Amino acid sequence: MPPPGGTYEKIFAFGSSGLLSQSLTVAQEGTDSPEITASAKIPFWYDPNKRAIIYQVVVLGMVGLVAYYLFTNTLANLERQNIATGFGFFSKQASFEISESPIPYSAADTYARALLVGVLNTIKVSFIGIVVTVLLGTFIGIARLSSNWLVAKLSAVYIEVMQDIPVLLQLVFWYAVFYESFPPPRQALGPIRGVYLSNRGMVFAVPQMHPVYGYMALVFVVGCLAVWVLRRWAKKRQEKTGQSFPLFLVSLAILLLLPLATWLVGGAPLKMNVPRLVGFNFEGGTTLSPEFAALLLGLVLYTAAFVAEIVRAGIQAVSRGQVEAAMSLGLRPGKVLRLVILPQALRVIIPPLTSQMLNLIKNSTLAIAIGFPDFVSVANTTINQTGQAIEGVGMIMVVYLFFSLSTSAVMNWYNKKVALVER
Amino acid sequence: MQEVRETTAMKPPVTRIGVLGWVRTNLFSSVFNSFLTVVIIYFLWKIVPGLIRWAFIDSSWTTTGAECRAAGGACWSVVTKNLRFIIFGFFPYEWQWRPLLAMIILFTLLIVSRNRSYWKKWLGYSWLIGLFVMGLLLRGGLFGLPPVESTKWSGLPLTLLLSVFGLTAAYPLGVLLALGRQSRMPAIKSLSVVYIETIRGVPLISLLFMSSVMFPLFLPEGITINNILRAQVAIIMFTAAYIAEVVRGGLQAISRGQYEAAESLGLNYPQKMRLIILPQALKIVIPPSVGILISAFKDTSLVVIIGLFDLLKTTQSTLSDPRWMGFSVEAYIFIALIYFTGCFSMSSYSRRLERELYRGN
């Protein structure tokens, strides 16, 4: 029955606060049917709206009381134990070393800088971890569906085994492999030329710094812009004329050939920074510390198993009829994959994939168990030195909440973009 | 007279049936597949014999650490010689039958609960009694069992205790949070949402830190709670948020008609939830709940970081003994096997249950 007086709009207007809209409807019904005149006759404890208010006041009061109790206890304890409050320690000298850091850091720097190093290390391991995990997981997920029995079974075994072993155990396992099973640098294993595995980590050759690389990066960025413009133009042209443009090949050519041409023009520098054994350790090249390598390996291998399952489920969610229909329209296999399978599979894949990325970021906190200086590890040292547990734990929570929220914001944006493709 | 011609049924070509046919369709169906097969077989050929040699042929099983080093292969002795410490940790040696019995009770209950036809009231009561007996066996102090301090609880029993009691205590809390999130009362809804999303956004380790360094500050002077209970509280808080999300999925899967039917019968909110909605919703979410039990079981290994002696920590302290240094890989493989057995049996059960429940609907 439509309530007179345009109540729907009112309900709609107050829709966000459920209580208000309810009381409105009740009031409206009151005038609508005169035999139930008003809520005056009903004792207030039988009125669901008033009861709701009472419940909420009681719950909020209880939560407030508990919070107050904990707060006063904490204040008393802090005072008794002479622990400072606030973030004054930020500008004090940290006086502890951090084993690896992307920015210059020494024990003479402040706590704020030490914590920044922790954040950067966390970002580094999470970012590289997520990229490698998505690639490896996709690969294994596709392999799981292979028509080759060996490939399918091996991936299935991989997925099952990796999912069922705690990630912390995997981390300490890989760390032990690096530490105990690999020889010291003098007898380092060299599986490929220029790559050495030893108990000091993995050392590999990198190209010697040369100004040409900077130009190559610049050209690559310009290439990305060109591809973006080209894409828009090609899309417009196809909408207008129906002619399609070999966009993928041309973009690939732009992105690969332009930097390559720059490199050739720049004199094709080939000099590599090859690690050499000097004394008891390597010099030159780039080193992945055993801690970082073990952390990355453990996180990637563990999370990739979950990603593989998600990718498999996503691909299987696209019905065969879709593929057959696309083929009968005359699309080539590459286009079937790109235009029909992928957009539909991605829709299924993205939300659980996001939560796996968040898991990887959260699991990177286990670095503390093998001594990689991520944010939690640095914050823990800070807590131990300053005794300011509340600020420390609070910082950890805020930082990871921020990481989680920003990752989900990006993925939600991407998800929306993908979801739009379907209609 | 008609000529009788004998015909023999022509068999399919050998390359299409039997072993050969299977190999052809599954391993060499195309050029690319054949290439893959050859590459994989080559790598397996390179790796597997060496691995078998290391794990079984050159391995030592009941020797000392020094003999292990001489033998060169895998040193399973590190496990067999320290098995009781790895499993039971610091629990007094002569009383280690108590955690063993507690674990046997737990496994029996789990195995009995696998069968859905036993899901009756008596099973619930036996779980309650079982949990009580398990706690009693660990703690002692009654019926002539000497008390064992909780600081001595360690190894596998501690891992199981944290995950099983954690899930049991977190479930009611999770259901309440899920109901709170579905509630129409803005204050209760926002409290639940903030709690659930905060907990799900932060790593478990931050909660464990909170329990180990902040709880002592929260409590009035003179009151201390032991480490295990603190970690248990953190695990319960963490698990409850995940259970809440799972249960919310179940609540949303119940059609509106059920809610409306319950309301039109004149049931009030608690009756509606207890009699109509929750029985159906909780049934739907059994498989994902097993998934949460699996992650709780795996996540308890994190208590290592705040210094509790769970299965991983007892193993690590065995490995810090100079006699057994350097055999981490073997020891870790052993506890990985324990975790794998536990998780794999639970996850395959959860899959079976999902199939059965799906068929039931």
Side-chain angles (χ1 to χ4, degrees):
Chain A
M1 180 169 56
T7 325
Y8 278 147
E9 282 78 359
K10 278 188 202 159
I11 294 174
F12 189 69
F14 289 105
S16 53
S17 55
L19 255 182
L20 272 175
S21 70
Q22 260 187 13
S23 56
L24 263 180
T25 27
V26 167
Q28 206 59 52
E29 271 162 14
T31 56
D32 207 31
S33 42
E35 53 269 26
I36 312 166
T37 31
S39 52
K41 274 186 188 168
I42 307 167
F44 72 89
W45 56 85
Y46 281 146
D47 182 341
N49 296 317
K50 289 189 180 128
R51 225 165 33 187
I53 293 173
I54 295 171
Y55 285 148
Q56 295 182 65
V57 168
V58 168
V59 168
L60 282 179
M62 270 172 12
V63 171
L65 270 182
V66 171
Y68 177 74
Y69 174 72
L70 295 179
F71 182 70
T72 46
N73 277 339
T74 311
L75 276 191
N77 281 322
L78 288 176
E79 201 166 330
R80 207 180 57 252
Q81 294 173 12
N82 264 330
I83 299 174
T85 48
F87 290 93
F89 64 90
F90 268 0
S91 52
K92 287 191 190 138
Q93 187 183 330
S95 58
F96 59 89
E97 289 290 343
I98 295 180
S99 57
E100 52 190 296
S101 159
I103 53 172
Y105 171 84
S106 76
D109 283 320
T110 57
Y111 277 115
R113 194 167 175 91
L115 291 166
L116 177 67
V117 170
V119 170
L120 291 176
N121 274 335
T122 293
I123 291 176
K124 181 170 111 180
V125 79
S126 307
F127 182 76
I128 301 178
I130 284 175
V131 172
V132 182
T133 299
V134 170
L135 293 178
L136 183 68
T138 312
F139 176 75
I140 295 170
I142 292 170
R144 177 78 185 77
L145 294 173
S146 164
S147 58
N148 188 319
W149 183 84
L150 261 180
V151 174
K153 278 289 168 276
L154 277 179
S155 342
V157 168
Y158 173 88
I159 292 172
E160 198 58 67
V161 169
M162 287 299 176
Q163 280 192 344
D164 286 347
I165 298 174
V167 60
L168 181 62
L169 181 56
Q170 298 197 26
L171 292 185
V172 292
F173 176 84
W174 291 117
Y175 191 54
V177 166
F178 263 97
Y179 233 63
E180 286 175 3
S181 306
F182 285 162
R186 305 198 77 144
Q187 289 101 41
L189 305 171
I192 316 164
R193 254 195 74 215
V195 178
Y196 297 99
L197 283 167
S198 72
N199 59 11
R200 299 284 179 86
M202 191 166 102
V203 189
F204 52 88
V206 286
Q208 188 104 46
M209 250 342 266
H210 193 281
V212 169
Y213 295 120
Y215 293 124
M216 277 170 71
L218 197 70
V219 168
F220 185 77
V221 172
V222 172
C224 284
L225 279 176
V227 165
W228 184 69
V229 172
L230 193 71
R231 241 183 101 109
R232 293 190 49 158
W233 171 79
K235 203 173 166 198
K236 251 189 204 148
R237 194 183 74 152
Q238 185 163 10
E239 271 163 14
K240 225 186 257 167
T241 63
Q243 285 175 306
S244 70
F245 184 77
L247 193 65
F248 181 72
L249 282 179
V250 175
S251 328
L252 201 70
I254 290 175
L255 291 182
L256 287 182
L257 292 183
L258 273 185
L260 191 71
T262 323
W263 181 69
L264 285 173
V265 169
L270 262 179
K271 201 148 181 277
M272 295 289 274
N273 191 349
V274 182
R276 273 172 304 115
L277 197 61
V278 179
F280 289 103
N281 211 343
F282 285 103
E283 246 174 41
T286 289
T287 312
L288 285 185
S289 70
E291 290 84 16
F292 182 78
L295 179 63
L296 195 62
L297 202 61
L299 287 178
V300 165
L301 293 183
Y302 179 75
T303 319
F306 289 90
V307 173
E309 275 295 271
I310 291 167
V311 170
R312 179 192 61 82
I315 294 175
Q316 279 181 335
V318 181
S319 68
R320 264 210 77 72
Q322 293 284 324
V323 181
E324 283 160 4
M327 281 167 147
S328 64
L329 281 178
L331 293 181
R332 277 198 298 271
K335 285 206 159 172
V336 173
L337 184 71
R338 200 161 52 81
L339 298 176
V340 178
I341 299 178
L342 221 48
Q344 299 188 61
L346 275 181
R347 230 175 60 218
V348 182
I349 289 173
I350 295 294
L353 186 67
T354 310
S355 83
Q356 284 309 321
M357 290 177 172
L358 297 179
N359 276 347
L360 190 139
I361 296 176
K362 285 187 267 172
N363 283 334
S364 74
T365 54
L366 301 181
I368 192 174
I370 55 173
F372 178 76
D374 80 324
F375 182 69
V376 166
S377 165
V378 175
N380 188 39
T381 316
T382 309
I383 292 175
N384 288 339
Q385 288 195 356
T386 60
Q388 291 186 260
I390 297 175
E391 289 85 351
V393 175
M395 263 182 340
I396 296 178
M397 289 191 160
V398 169
V399 165
Y400 282 92
L401 264 182
F402 174 73
F403 282 154
S404 299
L405 292 180
S406 42
T407 310
S408 20
V410 172
M411 291 308 286
N412 284 344
W413 168 80
Y414 184 64
N415 194 25
K416 275 211 186 100
K417 230 181 96 156
V418 172
L420 276 179
V421 173
E422 64 165 322
R423 299 215 164 113
Chain B
M1 202 166 112
Q2 241 179 352
E3 195 181 329
V4 179
R5 186 178 286 166
E6 279 195 13
T7 56
T8 48
M10 216 150 104
K11 281 196 179 123
V14 250
T15 52
R16 297 276 168 201
I17 52 159
V19 179
L20 217 55
W22 184 89
V23 167
R24 204 185 139 111
T25 45
N26 287 303
L27 297 179
F28 297 97
S29 54
S30 67
V31 178
F32 180 63
N33 265 347
S34 313
F35 170 74
L36 274 182
T37 307
V38 170
V39 169
I40 288 175
I41 287 178
Y42 172 76
F43 274 106
L44 290 179
W45 176 253
K46 278 281 202 189
I47 295 167
V48 171
L51 215 57
I52 288 175
R53 200 179 168 76
W54 175 79
F56 298 109
I57 297 170
D58 290 344
S59 59
S60 356
W61 292 80
T62 53
T63 55
T64 62
E67 286 171 72
C68 268
R69 281 192 192 94
C75 179
W76 303 114
S77 320
V78 66
V79 174
T80 54
K81 289 272 173 169
N82 300 301
L83 189 61
R84 279 182 76 159
F85 182 75
I86 289 178
I87 301 282
F88 297 114
F90 296 107
F91 209 88
Y93 198 77
E94 67 274 25
W95 295 111
Q96 284 179 358
W97 60 269
R98 279 160 47 178
L100 182 66
L101 186 61
M103 289 199 293
I104 292 173
I105 294 175
L106 177 66
F107 292 139
T108 318
L109 280 172
L110 282 173
I111 290 168
V112 170
S113 310
R114 280 176 77 98
N115 194 333
R116 269 177 65 222
S117 58
Y118 293 155
W119 288 3
K120 305 258 169 60
K121 264 209 174 117
W122 62 264
L123 190 65
Y125 290 130
S126 23
W127 266 103
L128 280 182
I129 297 169
L131 288 177
F132 175 73
V133 171
M134 281 182 255
L136 184 70
L137 279 170
L138 279 179
R139 211 161 169 257
L142 271 183
F143 305 118
L145 292 173
V148 174
E149 272 183 56
S150 61
T151 43
K152 296 250 165 66
W153 299 358
S154 34
L156 187 57
L158 179 64
T159 301
L160 293 172
L161 176 97
L162 288 174
S163 42
V164 171
F165 278 80
L167 190 77
T168 319
Y171 219 96
L173 194 58
V175 172
L176 280 183
L177 281 168
L179 291 176
R181 191 171 187 161
Q182 298 288 81
S183 164
R184 278 196 303 250
M185 305 180 208
I188 290 176
K189 181 173 181 163
S190 46
L191 274 180
S192 312
V193 170
V194 167
Y195 178 84
I196 293 172
E197 294 305 327
T198 311
I199 299 284
R200 277 159 43 90
V202 300
L204 173 57
I205 222 174
S206 64
L207 289 182
L208 287 172
F209 272 149
M210 192 171 93
S211 75
S212 75
V213 296
M214 271 166 79
F215 279 8
L217 291 176
F218 284 160
L219 294 173
E221 191 181 359
I223 297 181
T224 51
I225 47 175
N226 71 52
N227 272 337
I228 293 182
L229 192 60
R230 278 192 239 158
Q232 183 76 79
V233 169
I235 289 175
I236 291 171
M237 283 172 68
F238 186 74
T239 315
Y242 285 82
I243 289 173
E245 281 303 273
V246 164
V247 172
R248 180 169 75 123
L251 289 175
Q252 285 175 344
I254 306 295
S255 72
R256 271 224 67 73
Q258 295 286 326
Y259 289 87
E260 283 160 3
E263 274 159 18
S264 64
L265 280 176
L267 299 181
N268 62 22
Y269 182 82
Q271 289 171 329
K272 178 175 76 178
M273 285 300 160
R274 193 166 57 83
L275 299 172
I276 311 287
I277 307 300
L278 281 181
Q280 300 181 65
L282 293 185
K283 185 187 159 200
I284 302 174
V285 300
I286 291 169
S289 303
V290 178
I292 290 183
L293 180 59
I294 295 174
S295 9
F297 182 52
K298 284 190 291 182
D299 284 345
T300 49
S301 58
L302 267 63
V303 296
V304 169
I305 293 164
I306 57 166
L308 293 189
F309 276 80
D310 81 325
L311 188 58
L312 184 55
K313 191 72 185 176
T314 52
T315 311
Q316 284 181 329
S317 58
T318 305
L319 292 167
S320 62
D321 180 344
R323 284 175 300 166
W324 297 106
M325 245 178 210
F327 302 118
S328 308
V329 172
E330 290 89 335
Y332 288 150
I333 287 177
F334 171 70
I335 53 173
L337 270 177
I338 294 183
Y339 275 113
F340 176 77
T341 318
C343 294
F344 183 70
S345 46
M346 282 190 278
S347 66
S348 57
Y349 172 66
S350 143
R351 276 187 291 240
R352 199 188 82 191
L353 202 60
E354 210 163 340
R355 274 199 305 275
E356 282 177 10
L357 290 176
Y358 188 67
R359 203 167 49 214
N361 288 338

